[in-house]
Amino acid sequence: MSEATPSEGSGRKLARDLALYTVARLGLVVVLVAVIIGAAKLVSVEVPLIVAALFAVLIALPLSMVLFKTLRTRVNQDIAAVDAKRRSDRDQLMTRLRGDEK
């Protein structure tokens, strides 16, 4: 039973960090849309929402890589931990199926 606990903990941590990273990136897009529309209004130009959103997504892609580097690194580490646990469990299962277990 205790072997399942780290996997569940790693999975939960991955889900939490991934959700946080996703919300941060979406928040950045929303802020950039507001900035683009606000700047356009300052110079008396009408920018459609979809155009502002497209530009915000394009700007947010590289910007989020820099601004949210620590979050992205944590997500990558969590993915590696979950993957290592999955590989370990698979190898252990294959060993049992072959009958090599002590």
Side-chain angles (χ1 to χ4, degrees):
M1 285 290 186
S2 64
E3 290 180 17
T5 305
S7 177
E8 291 172 4
S10 298
R12 286 184 194 156
K13 187 172 185 282
L14 172 61
R16 179 183 41 117
D17 287 344
L18 189 59
L20 183 61
Y21 182 59
T22 302
V23 167
R25 289 186 70 181
L26 289 173
L28 179 62
V29 170
V30 169
V31 167
L32 288 172
V33 166
V35 167
I36 291 169
I37 290 176
K41 287 193 186 274
L42 284 176
V43 293
S44 301
V45 175
E46 185 74 25
V47 176
L49 182 62
I50 190 74
V51 173
L54 287 173
F55 276 112
V57 167
L58 289 175
I59 294 168
L61 286 171
L63 196 57
S64 67
M65 298 284 281
V66 174
L67 293 177
F68 307 129
K69 183 178 181 178
T70 56
L71 273 174
R72 186 172 40 86
T73 303
R74 277 191 350 211
V75 168
N76 289 341
Q77 290 171 345
D78 294 342
I79 289 171
V82 169
D83 192 41
K85 175 69 173 146
R86 183 193 57 79
R87 280 189 189 138
S88 170
D89 290 347
R90 187 181 132 250
D91 290 344
Q92 186 179 25
L93 176 63
M94 294 303 287
T95 301
R96 279 195 250 153
L97 287 173
R98 281 191 305 262
D100 296 342
E101 190 175 351
K102 296 178 184 177

